[in-house]
């Protein structure tokens, strides 16, 4: 597999100058992770805490889950509402909310029924809140809410607006956040048209925050991606939201864009073609809050994986200056993301590469290579390898004068095998380019001087077959010691007497 | 094959035979085992034998190695889905092997562990579902022998996580493993530490527990390699402080006795912990940073508490590496910045580990060669000195000013002590020199030594004040270590030291070639490198030549000092065959060229004598190589100035060569063939008249099949045969060996590896013998060439064939070639043009080959009647291909048959062919009459156009636009007009 990528990358090298879209790396995340969810990722589900949490009234303190269910089934609206409130409070408890207990006690059906009671907004509000918090639980909890028939009712409450509408948006956000299938179910019930009126800068701040977050969950999750036409109508609204001052709204809006652009180029195209959107997004790359910069950078980074034209638009919007700043922001997750974005610029046309070179980007990459942590170094190494694969001789010269070779080769000793191969690929390419200009010898000497030859030699003993083969390839082709060149053994055939069998007319080649 | 006592006994007896040194017994046994490998139960039988505690241990170990190799060859189902193992065998092996891992002796366990790794790679976890739970259950058994076995199995299974690429499949597997084992492993770790505390007075229990801890750390390392697992991140507060304690704990009853050089369990544990800490520090910087200072201190303390004993080597080197890696990171910089820290690093860590040890000194005295190879060639990757050196370099990069002033003070102190002591404190000066070298060096190459140095070190004045004085002492035997250091200093910084200093040093170096052991070798090596690096050009070297050559030859003869009376060297004196000295001889001759002639009279008999000696026991390949090179060079130089001298060489060398050939000294044959070629070629070029009959006797031997079976012989033998053809073709014909020579050609052409040699041979024969001799064979030759083309069409072969056909038509005529090819099979030439020549001519590489291909094309286009008649439809395509050959870069893509060339499966040891640079022949160009193929094309087209006006224009019109433009440019360049 990796081999194939390699050949296709080399193949594209031959078309250097025509853009090399295959070099661009889409955000390739495995569906399995070993690490904790990163702190700067957006939350999939959120529980709504009670503002008065902790001050539980005496009368409600005594209600058990069974009593709550009992109360919810009462015909007396006041009792019903009180029970709903008690249930909601219980589910809003900070520590260990008893979601499973409540679900098992049968709370869902009466809560969903309560959503229909238009005559009592209080009850609807408490029920929607309680359901919000149940849906914030495990996948099973969310499924229980869905199977209880909550989605259509929540959608129609959302359409009516007000506090109940806001709470319904939150509940729908939690449901959609559970995964691709629940998300599609929510959208199938027309949640987006219902949400749209809330997605304007004039909406009350708390409502707008909820709406923006809910919308981002509508766009989120892969396998499969959301049907684009179900969420795309919001794009003009999204473009407007990028102008508000509220950081939370900005962050969630950018997250939504980051999900929308993490897919086929057609999606990137529509996002970019939304009026005013791109320049506003690019501007947010310099927002003071990292919570906004992070998703904005993800969205822009995704766009840079698109076609040459799409990359050009980002460049025209001035993303390079911001990327440079981000590479020096000191926050490893942003530096890494910025370096990844740069790697995709350098995977582009020679004109695009030249823009990056003119901005002095190479020096910044070298400094990332020299000082940042290993994840950032790896992205920077990718960037340089891409340049080696697609750059003009002049651009390679610029790279060399930026002093990249030493920190780049230091990565050969890194404990990340992929990073090691990336550097070996880059070096192979550099050697090839050097060969065309008769520069192999000085390059070899340089590599030896900075200790890279030692490292490549020790990689010959690497347990990873691809790595040792690549190392061997470089050594065999460019570092052959004349005195030790061996001939290769032969197959044995025992014919010594010159006696060819007569050709029988079947020679075919 | 039943699992029966009888079969077990048979198996055991064959295994025993595979250990027999006699190939007549060993080989058949190996063949037998290979033959029964595919039988059901074979693997099971091996396992039973391995498990049989009554069997001899050596047989059990052999069985385990055989088993591992069997698994290696057969477990994987190959690409075509061929399964070489029985399903029931697979299941049985998996169920037996884990149990066996728990109780077999270590030598066997190691093999089984490899087998488990291989099986695990393919089967785990899907096809080995119960394994992980089976292992986890044993954690709770409380039986530590069992637990250790399980941990070892786990280590074999998981260690590949350290080097495989991230992938969905791999990470799913790791996730599965982590879900099942992360917590039990952590619990086990805590329990082990607890148990260790409870048993702190029970040495044998502690030993087992600490062994478990070592393995636990290895497994921990593997599981943490790809990424930081959530569970372990959450449990860093459990792991890190405990690892830290273990690193610092002293367990007196487990500390290894000072008598052994092998690391004990405590050293192993600390080494593993350093590895884990280094992994976290490098990969999980942010998460590890709270623990980093404590680890740095602890590792530091480990270093302070270990002395120079050999058993600490791995630990010290890992600990130093940890510090070097941490010091590189910006986020940990503050840990090192304090001058007090740097000062104590220098005093307590760096200097002690740079100091020459007892064992180094023994090596210096007793095995100078090994000492030199470690020191000069850097085969000291894991030594303490190297690790200390790396640490110094890292620190010097990041804290250059501070480092230099602090470390410089220590250097001063050591040098001062030395001078005050009147020489007895020489060991301090040795350390000082080493320290200065590693402080100053910023990069360098084998060829030039250090090429970049810190600006803060004044290399020249240091050399003048502290280095040269050591070499200026009258007694070359005094304080030999410092002499070696001084020479090494000059060698190391040769590219950076001023010319005058080198000039002063050079005679001193020559003097020390008269020393002993390491000093002598260093002296020779330094002289060689200075000459090779051009620091001493021919004119500057010439005045020193007599002294230098005399010293080198004396050293080769094993004499301590050229002035001392010549005592006959003991024949087995290893120092007598010092490769560095021999290389210095070669380098000196190569630099002096004709200026060396006056000394060769004395040198040559000595070199020849040496050849006779080493031929009896060729054990030093480099020495031998330089010896042959020196001889070849001497022959070239002498014969050039005095052609008649060749006879003297032949007289001196032939008896030695004869011995080598008769005694079948395989290592030397390729060299002998090259030197014979050289002599014969010199004869052919007129030296000393016609080659004498000595050569005639040789020819039949050269065609003996066994010689050609050895890969290393093929190339030099082909060259020698060609030399015969060129210099004494009469001999070839009169001896009746023509047919056998063609047989060799046939053999070569059948081999994908050697086909190019076949082309070379047949081309030489055709060229020299001409049609009169060769005509009767040409049809068969062509037939062979095309049969090979149809059986395997590799790139190399296609290139050779196109060049050969080009040569043939240039030599014997295009239409003759066409007719010949078509006589083998009707219309085959047209097929060749369409399927080989046109599509592949751009693949041809090599100046002569490309020229032959081009000339061949011109012949077809302009000199072939057939190409103006029935083959005319091919005309534009050939021209277009030819223009592509001229204008476009070579085609380096591969052909489908290429990947079948597998060359590294030759069994056992094979002597290798090494080209002698000084015996190379100038490549002969059979088409020397044509120097520019483009001009040849242009002019030939011009002639054709004059001879047949109107023929060309329509054909040229059929060319693609870019090709036509290129052709026009070519025609214009040679002022040729076509009509």
């Amino acid at each position: 597999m990796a081999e194939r990528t390699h050949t296709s990358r080399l193949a594209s090298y031959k078309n250097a100058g025509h853009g090399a879209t295959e070099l661009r790396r889409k955000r390739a995340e495995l569906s399995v992770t070993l690490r904790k969810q990163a702190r700067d990722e957006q939350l999939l589900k959120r529980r709504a805490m009670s503002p008065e949490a902790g001050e539980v009234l005496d009368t409600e303190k005594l209600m058990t889950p069974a009593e709550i269910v009992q109360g919810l089934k009462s015909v007396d609206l006041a009792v019903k509402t009180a029970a709903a409130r008690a249930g909601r409070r219980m589910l809003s408890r900070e520590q260990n909310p008893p979601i499973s207990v409540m679900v098992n006690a049968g709370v869902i059906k009466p809560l969903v029924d309560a959503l229909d009671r238009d005559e009592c907004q209080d009850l609807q509000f408490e029920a929607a809140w309680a359901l919000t918090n149940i849906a914030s639980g495990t996948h099973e909890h969310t499924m229980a809410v869905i199977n209880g028939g909550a989605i259509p009712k929540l959608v129609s409450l959302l359409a009516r607006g007000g506090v109940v509408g806001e709470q319904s948006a939150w509940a729908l956000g939690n449901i959609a956040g559970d995964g691709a299938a629940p998300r599609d179910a929510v959208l199938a019930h027309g949640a987006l048209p219902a949400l749209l009126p809330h997605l304007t800068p004039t909406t009350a701040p708390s409502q707008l925050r909820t709406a923006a977050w809910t919308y981002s969950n509508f766009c989120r999750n892969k396998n499969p991606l959301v049907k684009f036409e179900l969420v795309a109508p919001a794009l003009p609204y999204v473009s407007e939201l990028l102008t508000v001052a509220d950081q939370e709204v900005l962050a969630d809006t950018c997250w939504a864009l980051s999900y929308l652009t993490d897919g086929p180029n057609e999606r990137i195209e529509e996002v970019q073609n939304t009026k005013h959107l791109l320049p506003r997004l690019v501007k947010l790359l310099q927002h003071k809050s990292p919570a906004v910069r992070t998703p904005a950078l993800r969205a822009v980074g995704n766009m840079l994986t698109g076609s040459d034209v799409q990359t050009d638009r980002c460049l025209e919007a001035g993303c390079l200056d911001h990327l440079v700043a981000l590479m020096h922001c000191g926050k490893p997750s942003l530096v890494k993301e910025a370096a990844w974005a740069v790697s995709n610029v350098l995977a582009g046309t020679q004109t695009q590469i030249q823009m990056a070179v003119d901005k002095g980007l190479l020096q910044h990459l070298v400094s990332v290579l020299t000082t940042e942590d290993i994840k950032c170094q790896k992205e920077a190494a990718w960037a340089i390898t891409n340049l080696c694969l697609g750059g003009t001789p002049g651009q390679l010269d610029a790279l060399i004068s930026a002093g990249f070779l030493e920190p780049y080769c230091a990565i050969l000793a890194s404990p990340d095998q992929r990073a090691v191969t990336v550097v070996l690929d880059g070096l192979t390419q550099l050697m090839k380019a050097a060969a065309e200009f008769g520069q192999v010898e000085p390059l070899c000497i340089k590599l030896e001087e900075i200790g890279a030859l030692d490292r490549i030699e020790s990689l010959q003993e690497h347990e990873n077959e691809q790595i040792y083969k690549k190392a061997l390839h470089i050594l065999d082709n460019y570092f052959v010691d004349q005195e030790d060149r061996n001939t290769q053994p032969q197959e044995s055939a025992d014919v010594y007497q010159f006696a060819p069998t007569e050709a029988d007319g079947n020679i075919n080649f | 094959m039943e699992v029966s006592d009888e079969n077990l006994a048979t198996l055991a007896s064959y295994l025993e035979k595979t250990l027999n040194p006699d190939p007549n017994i060993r080989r058949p046994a190996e063949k037998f085992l290979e033959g029964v490998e595919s039988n059901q139960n074979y693997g099971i039988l091996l396992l039973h034998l391995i498990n049989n505690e009554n069997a001899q241990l050596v047989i059990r170990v052999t069985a385990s190695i055989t088993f591992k190799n069997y698994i290696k060859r057969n477990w994987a189902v190959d690409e075509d889905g061929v399964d070489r193992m029985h399903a029931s065998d697979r299941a049985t092996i998996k169920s037996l092997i884990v149990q066996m891992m728990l109780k077999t002796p270590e030598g066997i366990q190691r093999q089984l562990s490899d087998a488990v790794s291989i099986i695990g790679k393919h089967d785990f976890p899907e096809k080995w579902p119960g394994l992980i739970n089976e292992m986890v259950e044993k954690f709770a058994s409380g039986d530590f022998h069992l637990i250790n076995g399980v941990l070892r199995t786990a280590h074999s299974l998981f260690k590949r996580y350290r080097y495989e690429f991230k992938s969905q499949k791999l990470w799913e597997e790791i996730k599965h493993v982590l879900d099942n084992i992360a917590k039990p492993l952590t619990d086990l770790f805590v329990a082990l530490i607890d148990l260790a505390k409870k048993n702190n007075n029970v040495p044998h229990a502690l030993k087992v527990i600490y062994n478990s801890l070592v393995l636990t750390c290895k497994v921990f390392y593997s599981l943490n390699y790809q990424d930081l697992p959530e569970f372990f991140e959450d449990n860093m507060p459990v792991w890190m402080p405990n690892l830290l304690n273990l690193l610092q704990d002293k367990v007196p009853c487990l500390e290894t006795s000072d008598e052994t050089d092998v690391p004990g369990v405590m050293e192993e544990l600390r080494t593993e912990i350093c590895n884990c800490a280094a992994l976290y520090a490098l990969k999980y910087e942010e998460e590890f940073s709270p623990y980093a200072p404590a680890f740095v201190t602890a590792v530091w303390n480990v270093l302070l508490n270990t002395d120079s004993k050999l058993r600490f080597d791995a630990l010290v080197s890992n600990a130093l590496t940890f510090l070097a890696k941490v010091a590189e990171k910006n986020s940990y910089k503050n840990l090192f910045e304090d001058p007090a820290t740097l000062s104590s690093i220098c005093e307590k860590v760096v200097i002690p580990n740079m100091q020459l040890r007892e064992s180094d000194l023994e090596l210096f005295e007793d095995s100078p060669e090994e000492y030199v190879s470690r020191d000069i060639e850097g085969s000291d990757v894991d030594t303490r000195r190297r690790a200390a050196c790396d640490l110094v370099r890292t620190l010097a990069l990041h804290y250059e000013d501070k480092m230099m002033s602090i470390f410089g003070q220590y250097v001063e102190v050591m040098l001062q002590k030395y001078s005050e002591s009147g020489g007895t404190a020489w060991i301090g000066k040795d350390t000082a020199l080493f320290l200065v070298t590693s402080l100053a060096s910023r990069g360098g190459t084998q060829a030039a030594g250090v090429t970049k140095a810190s600006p803060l070190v004044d290399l020249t004045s240091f050399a003048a004040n502290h280095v040269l004085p050591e070499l200026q002492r009258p007694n070359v035997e005094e304080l030999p270590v410092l002499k070696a250091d001084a020479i090494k200093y000059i060698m190391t910084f040769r590219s950076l030291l001023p010319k005058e200093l080198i000039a002063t040093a050079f005679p001193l170096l020559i003097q020390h070639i008269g020393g002993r052991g390491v000093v002598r070798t260093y002296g020779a090596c330094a002289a060689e490198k200075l000459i090779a690096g051009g620091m001493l050009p021919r004119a500057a070297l010439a005045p020193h030549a007599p002294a230098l050559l005399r010293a080198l030859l004396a050293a080769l003869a094993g004499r301590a000092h050229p002035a001392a009376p010549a005592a006959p060297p003991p024949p087995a004196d290893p120092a007598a065959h010092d490769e560095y000295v021999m290389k210095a001889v070669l380098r000196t001759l190569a630099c002096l060229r004709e200026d060396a002639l006056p000394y060769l009279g004395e040198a040559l008999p000595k070199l020849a004598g040496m050849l006779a000696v080493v031929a009896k026991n060729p054990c030093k390949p480099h020495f031998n190589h330089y010896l042959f090179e020196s001889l070849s060079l001497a022959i070239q130089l002498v014969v050039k100035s005095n052609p008649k001298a060749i006879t003297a060489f032949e007289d001196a060398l032939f008896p030695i060569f004869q011995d080598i050939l008769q005694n079948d000294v395989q290592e030397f044959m390729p060299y002998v063939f090259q030197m014979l070629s050289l002599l014969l070629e010199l004869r052919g070029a007129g030296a000393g008249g016609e080659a004498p009959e000595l050569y005639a006797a040789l020819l039949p031997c050269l065609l003996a099949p066994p010689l050609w079976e050895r890969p290393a012989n093929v190339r030099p033998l082909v060259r020698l045969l060609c030399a015969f053809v060129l210099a004494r073709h009469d001999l070839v014909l009169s001896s009746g060996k023509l047919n056998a020579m063609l047989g060799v050609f046939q053999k070569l052409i059948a081999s994908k590896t050697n086909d190019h040699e076949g082309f070379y041979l047949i081309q030489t024969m055709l060229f020299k013998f001409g049609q009169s001799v060769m005509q009767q064979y040409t049809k068969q030759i062509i037939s062979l060439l095309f049969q090979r083309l149809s059986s395997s069409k590799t790139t190399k072969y296609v290139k050779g064939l196109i060049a050969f056909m080009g040569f043939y038509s240039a030599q014997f005529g295009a239409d003759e070639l066409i007719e010949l090819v078509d006589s083998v099979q009707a219309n085959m030439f047209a097929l060749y043009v369409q399927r080989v020549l046109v599509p592949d001519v751009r693949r041809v590489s090599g100046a002569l080959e490309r020229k032959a291909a081009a000339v061949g094309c011109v012949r077809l286009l302009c000199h072939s009647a057939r190409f103006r008649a029935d083959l005319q439809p091919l005309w534009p395509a050939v021209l277009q291909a030819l223009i592509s050959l001229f204008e476009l870069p070579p085609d380096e893509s591969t052909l489908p048959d290429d990947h079948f060339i597998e060359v590294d499966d030759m069994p056992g040891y094979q002597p290798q062919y090494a080209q002698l640079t000084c015996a190379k022949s100038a490549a002969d160009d059979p088409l020397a009459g044509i120097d520019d193929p483009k001009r040849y094309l242009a002019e030939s087209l011009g002639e054709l156009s004059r001879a047949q006006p109107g023929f060309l224009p329509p054909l040229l019109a059929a060319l693609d636009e870019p090709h036509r433009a290129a052709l026009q440019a070519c025609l214009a360049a040679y002022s040729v007009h076509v009509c």
Side-chain angles (χ1 to χ4, degrees), chain B residues 180-494:
Chain B
N180 286 286
I181 219 172
K183 181 157 190 320
L185 187 75
T186 307
D187 294 344
L188 177 68
F189 179 59
V190 173
L192 283 168
I193 289 168
D194 203 36
L195 268 172
K197 279 188 195 125
K198 286 186 188 140
N199 286 288
N200 68 351
N201 281 321
V202 196
H204 69 273
L206 276 183
K207 181 132 204 263
V208 182
I209 294 167
Y210 271 83
N211 267 324
S212 298
L213 282 168
V214 171
L215 288 163
T216 306
C217 286
K218 289 186 178 175
V219 173
F220 179 76
Y221 184 87
S222 299
L223 294 178
N224 278 282
Y225 197 95
Q226 295 267 331
D227 205 347
L228 177 55
E230 180 166 5
F231 185 88
F232 288 130
E233 183 177 347
D234 289 340
N235 283 277
M236 278 177 80
V238 176
W239 282 90
M240 293 302 141
N242 276 317
L243 289 175
L244 199 55
N245 288 336
L246 287 173
L247 193 56
Q248 304 176 89
D249 273 353
K250 295 208 171 59
V251 187
C253 65
L254 286 186
E255 296 294 346
T256 327
S257 88
D258 281 347
E259 255 119 77
T260 170
D261 287 344
V262 183
V265 66
M266 293 305 289
E267 282 86 64
E268 279 187 49
L269 179 61
R270 289 178 190 138
T271 307
E272 288 303 326
I273 294 174
C274 283
N275 272 346
C276 292
L279 179 70
Y280 266 71
L282 276 184
K283 262 192 135 161
Y284 316 123
E285 220 172 301
E286 204 181 334
E287 292 80 3
F288 186 66
S289 58
Y291 303 97
F295 268 96
V296 168
T297 316
V299 168
W300 177 261
N301 283 323
V302 165
L303 285 169
L304 295 186
N305 287 315
T306 45
D307 55 30
S308 63
K309 298 210 177 53
L310 289 174
R311 71 189 150 97
F312 296 123
D313 283 7
L315 173 57
V316 168
S317 139
N318 268 26
L320 289 171
T321 308
F322 169 79
L323 289 181
K325 284 181 174 170
V326 171
E328 259 173 21
K329 290 280 162 186
N330 269 349
S331 44
Y332 306 133
K333 259 196 170 155
N334 54 332
L335 300 176
F336 293 88
E337 257 162 352
D338 184 1
T341 309
L342 287 177
S343 167
S344 80
I345 287 183
C346 182
E347 183 180 341
K348 308 234 171 75
V349 177
V350 171
I351 291 180
N353 282 304
M354 281 188 173
Q355 222 154 48
L356 213 55
R357 293 188 287 180
E358 192 81 8
S359 55
D360 299 321
L361 270 178
E362 280 169 19
L363 211 59
F364 188 95
E365 284 295 326
D366 304 337
S367 320
E369 276 179 287
E370 197 183 334
Y371 183 93
V372 172
S373 92
R374 275 199 205 174
D375 202 37
I376 296 190
E377 285 155 23
S379 62
D380 60 344
V381 184
D382 291 321
T383 63
R384 294 174 177 220
R385 266 196 157 186
R386 177 77 170 251
C389 211
D390 287 346
L391 179 59
V392 168
R393 274 191 204 151
T394 309
L395 293 173
L397 271 180
H398 291 89
Y399 320 94
E400 188 165 21
D401 292 0
K402 282 184 203 158
M403 274 286 292
M404 289 301 172
S405 73
I406 293 169
F407 280 50
Q409 285 164 19
Y410 284 96
V411 170
E412 285 297 322
V413 171
M414 288 187 280
L415 291 174
Q416 179 120 27
K417 266 195 192 152
Y418 165 72
S419 70
E420 283 165 7
S421 77
T424 51
W426 59 268
I427 205 124
K429 179 159 184 182
D430 169 73
T431 311
L433 280 163
F434 195 82
L435 187 53
V436 167
T437 305
S438 47
L439 275 173
S441 309
R442 288 283 180 280
T445 65
Q446 280 286 333
V450 169
T451 50
K452 276 192 300 185
S454 163
L456 301 183
V457 179
D458 184 347
L459 292 171
T460 308
S461 75
F462 190 85
N465 296 327
H466 301 289
V467 175
L468 289 182
E470 289 301 333
L471 298 177
Q472 281 157 343
R473 293 168 191 283
N475 182 355
V476 296
E477 308 268 332
E478 195 186 353
L479 299 177
V481 171
L482 293 187
K483 297 250 189 292
D485 288 341
I487 298 173
K488 195 179 162 200
Y489 183 96
I490 292 169
M491 190 155 72
T492 306
F493 295 109
R494 62 187 181 275

Side-chain angles (χ1 to χ4, degrees), chain A residues 320-439:
Chain A
L320 280 177
D321 290 318
H322 302 308
L323 290 178
V324 167
L326 285 164
M327 283 201 289
H328 290 290
C329 72
K331 212 172 170 294
S333 57
L334 285 173
V335 174
K336 176 191 155 210
E337 195 77 15
W340 171 65
V342 167
S343 81
N344 283 326
V345 175
L346 294 183
T349 63
Q350 289 176 345
T351 320
Q352 289 168 348
I353 296 176
Q354 195 55 44
M355 281 179 79
V357 173
D358 294 344
K359 285 278 179 201
L361 218 82
L362 301 183
Q363 276 77 16
H364 299 291
L365 273 178
V366 170
S367 100
V368 171
L369 268 182
T370 314
T371 55
E372 293 296 338
D373 79 2
I374 188 163
K375 295 217 159 84
C376 305
Q377 288 177 330
K378 183 165 141 184
E379 293 303 334
W382 264 112
I384 285 173
T385 300
N386 284 344
L387 177 54
C388 292
L389 285 164
T392 62
Q395 289 163 347
L396 292 181
D397 276 348
L399 184 61
I400 286 171
S401 22
F404 85 106
L405 208 54
E406 200 159 351
Y408 185 65
C409 291
I411 293 183
L412 291 172
S414 125
D416 184 312
Q417 319 311 3
R418 181 60 70 191
V420 173
T421 14
V422 166
V423 172
L424 287 174
D425 282 347
L427 286 178
T428 308
Q429 203 52 46
L430 207 62
M431 284 292 194
K432 271 195 191 164
E436 276 177 42
F437 295 92
Q439 293 294 310

Side-chain angles (χ1 to χ4, degrees), chain A residues 222-297:
Chain A
K222 289 183 167 183
N223 306 313
L225 290 169
V226 66
K227 282 211 181 79
F228 194 63
E229 61 274 19
L230 291 180
V231 287
L235 281 173
Y237 296 79
V238 165
S239 179
E240 290 313 305
L241 290 187
L242 292 177
T243 62
V244 303
D246 188 293
Q247 288 185 16
E248 277 185 47
V249 173
L250 285 175
D252 286 326
T253 308
C254 289
W255 279 114
L257 286 173
S258 81
Y259 303 140
L260 290 174
T261 48
D262 185 6
N265 290 357
E266 296 71 37
R267 294 183 177 207
I268 296 174
E269 190 68 18
E270 265 203 61
V271 171
Q272 286 192 337
N273 287 336
T274 305
K275 210 167 180 194
H276 305 310
L277 191 151
L278 186 58
R280 287 172 182 167
L281 175 67
V282 168
K283 209 172 147 216
L284 290 176
L285 290 174
Q286 55 174 345
H287 195 277
K288 60 182 187 300
S289 163
V292 177
R293 291 198 307 249
T294 299
L297 177 54

Side-chain angles (χ1 to χ4, degrees), chain B residues 464-660:
Chain B
N465 296 327
H466 301 289
V467 175
L468 289 182
E470 289 301 333
L471 298 177
Q472 281 157 343
R473 293 168 191 283
N475 182 355
V476 296
E477 308 268 332
E478 195 186 353
L479 299 177
V481 171
L482 293 187
K483 297 250 189 292
D485 288 341
I487 298 173
K488 195 179 162 200
Y489 183 96
I490 292 169
M491 190 155 72
T492 306
F493 295 109
R494 62 187 181 275
S495 296
L496 300 174
L497 292 171
K499 250 194 235 143
E500 305 72 50
L501 198 131
I502 299 275
T504 317
F506 197 73
L508 297 173
L509 295 178
I510 296 176
Q511 244 171 55
H512 285 82
I513 296 172
R516 284 191 309 126
V518 176
V519 174
R520 168 165 68 195
T521 304
Y522 274 26
C525 185
E528 190 270 324
K529 285 188 188 294
L530 289 175
I531 300 170
M535 285 97 201
L536 241 77
R538 187 166 164 180
L541 180 62
H544 298 295
L548 178 57
L549 282 169
R550 201 180 322 125
L552 291 171
L553 289 171
L556 284 175
R559 261 178 292 138
H561 204 276
D573 178 10
H577 297 149
D578 184 323
E579 67 180 72
Y580 296 94
V581 177
M582 196 67 234
K583 194 174 182 184
V585 171
L586 171 62
R587 191 71 71 190
T588 309
L589 297 182
C591 177
L592 292 172
R593 311 277 320 167
E594 286 74 22
D595 292 349
L597 285 172
Y599 316 109
L600 287 176
E602 189 195 338
L604 277 168
K606 289 186 181 159
L607 295 180
M610 227 168 283
L611 181 58
V613 173
V614 293
K616 299 211 160 51
N617 183 20
C619 54
K620 292 189 171 175
H622 286 105
F623 176 87
N624 301 337
H625 183 88
Y626 298 130
L627 175 57
F628 276 108
E629 286 278 23
S630 302
L631 280 166
S632 306
L633 180 59
I635 293 173
Q636 296 237 23
L637 290 173
V638 172
V639 174
K640 202 171 150 202
S641 79
N642 173 16
K644 290 206 178 91
I646 194 165
T647 317
F649 280 112
E650 286 164 346
D651 291 346
L653 292 173
F654 264 64
I656 304 174
F657 290 168
Q658 218 155 17
D659 272 354
I660 291 171

